[in-house]
């Protein structure tokens, strides 16, 4: 063997050896290393970011999540229109540096007294990469595991396994808020996972192909095609606005030249209940965004309340998937659409409600006492349903003394060795923090670095040696289409092409791995030179 071949073989062996320990982990805590086991529920910005920063030399890391990867959500809209390839925004959990345990499944329940987590395996499910939305009123025994979007029946439960922990980090995120509106769970598309982006992309391309059949073969009138090529986005936040902008670029740059006869029939509309879209930006930048959308012929309908979403009647609905949107302001008139993308905010994870209803261990309780029993529960935020935490991201609890209507909840301390970060957490000292990737990433980094310093932050005043978490707002970015964006921070405000450069640069530098930091600009260049991918597969 040549010297070059020997070096290549040695490099391959080292790579394989570095990845081998991440394959599995022991179900029991007695791993022989003497390290504390930290179990992380979730692989999103909070869970994955925490596991990535936590020192594997000091802790045994175990991630439990229904998906085996992290999604770089700010670029999810780009993948839904073919600007980027799906894998460029994914980071496999099992490729985290160092030894990491992973179990693909839903956290079904947690026994805080015994420090065990009951996990339902879901590795065999096809819906692991698609947004799931909880049913409006699930039975109590099923509240922790929402049904898959559009699934008409409850899938059989998977195998259950108990995973012990020494410290627990709850980062299970939140779900899309539907406000109980009829038909949204069944017919709307969400944009929170890679499977959602793929479904949206296939639907957009399918609608153009359905409307492109020669006359006499499709039985579709121009009015039918106009309805199918109406793309409705519900929600005027950054996600909805960026998807509308990316969709405009796809249609204007790539599909209009291919389907010139369909271009006049296409329309994009953004609906929102608020008086204005992009409320996190100041008035000048928000107006610039609306003026840009007006030039792109993207309609923005504020103060519009959607009341129902359903399939159209007859073959138009069954065969072509045409939808009808009932809007309060339009009375009995319904708006036709071929695609509805839902982006209206978040609701609490059903697991949180299940955990909050459980009694947790009460320190120093006397089992022989004859006084009215006191119960201890996780403290939830009344507005969002998330778990309240202190300034050190430790789960807060509440004690209810007595029984019945005379029971008065009183604030307690914190739940030992349990931390909550990300979208499912509400800090008592900063309850208005937005549910964004920026907040979740900073919370994850803070908590991991705190634990890495081996400080005692489990209870009492031991956390006083550490500085409390403080969110630093690095600014907000939103893409507006046609190489324009807006950026707002405490230091400056940018708009137009300069903000677009900042937008792309920020998202590129925040990509987790060097692999994706290399692939993302490559696909940007490829899409710019050769156009976006428009093949359906």
């Amino acid at each position: 063997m040549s010297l070059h071949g020997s070096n290549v073989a040695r490099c391959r062996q080292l790579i394989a050896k570095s990845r081998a320990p991440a394959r599995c982990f022991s179900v029991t805590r007695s791993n022989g290393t003497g390290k504390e086991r930290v179990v992380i529920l979730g692989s999103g910005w909070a869970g994955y970011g925490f596991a990535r920063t936590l020192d594997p030399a000091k802790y045994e890391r175990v991630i439990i999540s229904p998906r085996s990867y992290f999604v770089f959500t700010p670029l999810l809209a780009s993948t839904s229109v073919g600007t980027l390839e799906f894998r460029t925004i994914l980071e496999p959990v099992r490729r985290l540096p160092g030894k990491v345990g992973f179990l693909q499944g839903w956290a079904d329940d947690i026994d805080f007294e015994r420090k065990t987590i009951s996990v339902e395996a879901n590795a065999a499910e096809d819906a692991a990469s698609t947004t799931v939305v909880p049913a409006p009123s699930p039975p109590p025994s099923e509240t922790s595991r929402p049904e898959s979007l559009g699934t008409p029946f409850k899938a059989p439960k998977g195998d259950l396994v108990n995973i012990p922990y020494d410290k627990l980090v709850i980062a299970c995120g939140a779900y899309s808020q539907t406000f109980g509106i009829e038909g949204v769970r069944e017919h709307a598309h969400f944009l929170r996972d890679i499977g959602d982006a793929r479904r949206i992309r296939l639907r957009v391309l399918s609608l153009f192909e359905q409307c492109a059949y020669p006359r006499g073969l499709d039985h579709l009138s121009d009015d039918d095609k106009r309805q199918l090529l109406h793309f409705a986005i519900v929600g005027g936040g950054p996600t909805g606005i960026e998807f509308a902008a990316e969709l405009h670029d796809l249609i204007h740059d790539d599909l209009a030249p291919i389907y010139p006869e369909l271009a006049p029939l296409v329309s994009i509309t953004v609906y929102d209940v608020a008086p204005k879209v992009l409320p996190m930006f100041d008035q000048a930048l928000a107006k610039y965004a609306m003026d840009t959308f007006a030039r792109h012929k993207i309609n923005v309908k504020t103060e519009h309340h959607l009341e129902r979403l359903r399939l159209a009647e007859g073959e138009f609905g069954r065969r072509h998937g045409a939808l009808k949107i009932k809007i309060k302001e339009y009375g009995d008139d319904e708006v036709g659409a071929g695609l509805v993308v839902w982006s209206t905010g978040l609701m609490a994870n059903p697991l949180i409600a299940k955990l909050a209803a459980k009694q947790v261990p009460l320190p120093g309780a006397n089992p022989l006492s004859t006084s009215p029993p006191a119960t201890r529960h996780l403290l939830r935020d009344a507005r969002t349903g998330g778990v309240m935490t202190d300034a050190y991201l430790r789960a807060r609890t509440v004690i209810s003394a007595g029984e019945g209507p005379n029971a008065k909840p009183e604030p307690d301390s914190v739940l030992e060795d349990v931390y909550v970060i990300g979208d499912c957490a509400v800090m008592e000292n900063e309850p208005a923090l937005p549910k964004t990737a920026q907040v979740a990433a900073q919370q994850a980094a803070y908590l991991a670095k705190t634990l890495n310093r081996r400080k005692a932050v489990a209870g009492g005043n031991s956390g006083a040696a550490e500085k409390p978490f403080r969110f630093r707002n690095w600014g907000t970015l939103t893409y507006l289409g046609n190489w324009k964006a807006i950026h707002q921070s405490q230091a400056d405000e940018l708009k137009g092409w300069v903000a677009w450069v900042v937008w792309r640069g920020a998202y590129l530098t925040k990509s987790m791995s060097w692999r994706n930091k290399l692939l993302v600009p490559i696909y940007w260049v490829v899409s710019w030179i050769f156009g976006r991918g428009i093949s359906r597969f």
Side-chain angles (χ1 to χ4, degrees), residues 136-440:
S137 299
S141 61
E142 298 175 0
T143 53
S144 64
R145 186 181 183 279
E147 296 178 6
S148 172
L149 175 66
T151 303
F153 60 92
K154 180 73 168 68
K157 288 180 71 70
D159 295 333
L160 292 176
V161 59
N162 290 325
I163 304 297
Y165 67 87
D166 294 304
K167 296 185 185 298
L168 174 64
V169 177
I170 300 176
C172 54
Y175 289 94
S176 297
Q177 176 64 272
T178 65
F179 303 99
I181 297 175
E182 178 185 348
V184 172
R185 291 180 65 251
E186 294 79 10
H187 305 302
H189 286 66
F190 301 88
L191 189 55
R192 291 179 57 80
D193 208 336
I194 199 68
D196 302 328
R198 184 175 182 273
R199 291 174 65 237
I200 290 173
R201 180 177 176 275
L202 292 176
R203 179 60 179 167
V204 171
L205 298 177
S206 172
L207 288 170
F208 274 86
E209 288 297 336
Q210 290 180 57
C211 295
Y213 284 119
R215 289 188 179 275
L217 294 180
D218 58 358
H219 307 290
L220 292 174
S221 65
D222 284 349
D223 184 62
D224 292 336
K225 294 178 181 180
R226 191 173 286 106
Q227 291 186 55
L228 287 176
L229 295 177
H230 176 216
F231 302 96
I233 297 99
V234 183
T239 301
I241 294 298
E242 287 195 346
F243 174 73
E246 294 276 9
L247 181 61
H248 164 268
D249 289 353
L250 169 67
I251 294 172
H252 181 269
D253 298 340
D254 299 279
L255 298 182
I258 299 174
Y259 306 96
E261 72 285 356
L262 299 180
L265 306 177
V266 177
S267 61
I268 302 173
T269 305
V270 178
Y271 296 97
D272 198 278
V273 299
K276 74 165 190 173
V277 297
L278 299 175
M280 65 290 301
F281 289 92
D282 65 25
Q283 187 63 36
L285 290 179
K287 184 178 184 303
Y288 174 82
M290 294 305 93
D291 293 342
T292 302
F293 268 28
R295 289 193 294 271
H296 293 166
K297 296 182 179 180
I298 299 175
N299 304 308
V300 178
K301 306 288 187 180
T302 57
E303 297 183 292
H304 280 58
H305 300 76
L306 191 145
E307 294 183 328
R308 185 181 66 213
L309 182 63
R310 66 175 180 87
L311 280 178
E313 296 87 352
E315 287 293 313
F316 194 42
R318 290 193 298 270
R319 181 178 176 182
H320 298 284
L323 300 171
K324 292 292 185 178
I325 309 170
K326 187 177 188 305
I327 298 174
K328 178 181 178 181
E329 286 70 21
Y330 296 166
D332 294 332
D333 295 336
E334 293 181 308
V335 177
L339 172 71
V340 175
V341 175
W342 194 267
S343 176
T344 60
L346 303 175
M347 63 180 292
N349 190 309
L351 175 65
I352 300 302
K354 186 174 185 177
L355 297 180
K358 294 172 60 72
Q359 293 189 27
V360 298
L362 187 62
N366 183 4
L368 302 179
S369 175
T370 58
S371 60
T375 58
R376 187 186 187 205
H377 302 270
L378 288 177
L379 180 61
R380 296 183 71 192
D381 178 58
R383 185 177 64 88
T384 65
V387 177
M388 297 294 296
T389 73
D390 66 359
Y392 304 95
L393 302 175
R394 301 173 295 183
R396 287 293 312 276
T397 58
V398 62
I399 291 180
S400 298
E403 297 179 342
N406 295 325
K408 295 182 179 180
E410 298 178 359
D412 188 36
S413 58
V414 296
L415 188 57
E416 296 77 10
D417 298 325
V418 177
Y419 307 87
V420 189
I421 57 177
D423 291 346
C424 60
V426 179
M427 298 187 65
E428 61 181 357
N429 60 324
E430 295 186 75
L433 281 180
K435 306 298 184 184
T436 62
Q438 188 177 169
V439 173

Side-chain angles (χ1 to χ4, degrees), residues 366-522:
N366 183 4
L368 302 179
S369 175
T370 58
S371 60
T375 58
R376 187 186 187 205
H377 302 270
L378 288 177
L379 180 61
R380 296 183 71 192
D381 178 58
R383 185 177 64 88
T384 65
V387 177
M388 297 294 296
T389 73
D390 66 359
Y392 304 95
L393 302 175
R394 301 173 295 183
R396 287 293 312 276
T397 58
V398 62
I399 291 180
S400 298
E403 297 179 342
N406 295 325
K408 295 182 179 180
E410 298 178 359
D412 188 36
S413 58
V414 296
L415 188 57
E416 296 77 10
D417 298 325
V418 177
Y419 307 87
V420 189
I421 57 177
D423 291 346
C424 60
V426 179
M427 298 187 65
E428 61 181 357
N429 60 324
E430 295 186 75
L433 281 180
K435 306 298 184 184
T436 62
Q438 188 177 169
V439 173
Q442 290 188 29
Q443 288 179 339
Y446 164 84
L447 181 59
K449 291 176 181 178
T450 298
L451 295 182
N452 286 342
R453 286 191 286 267
R454 295 274 188 159
K455 296 293 184 180
V457 295
N461 296 321
S462 54
E466 294 290 339
K467 293 182 179 180
F469 172 77
R470 287 290 182 268
F471 172 63
R472 298 185 64 183
N473 191 347
W474 295 108
T476 306
L477 289 158
T478 298
Y479 178 59
L480 302 177
N482 198 25
W483 295 24
K484 292 181 176 64
I486 53 176
H487 169 261
Q488 179 175 303
S489 68
Q490 296 177 349
D492 55 23
E493 293 182 359
L494 302 173
K495 60 185 179 181
W497 184 81
V498 175
W500 175 81
V501 173
V502 174
W503 176 78
R504 286 214 161 174
Y507 287 170
L508 179 60
T509 56
K510 289 298 182 180
S511 293
M512 294 290 187
S513 66
W514 283 106
R515 171 186 177 274
N516 285 349
K517 287 179 180 179
L518 176 64
L519 288 178
V520 166
I522 288 176

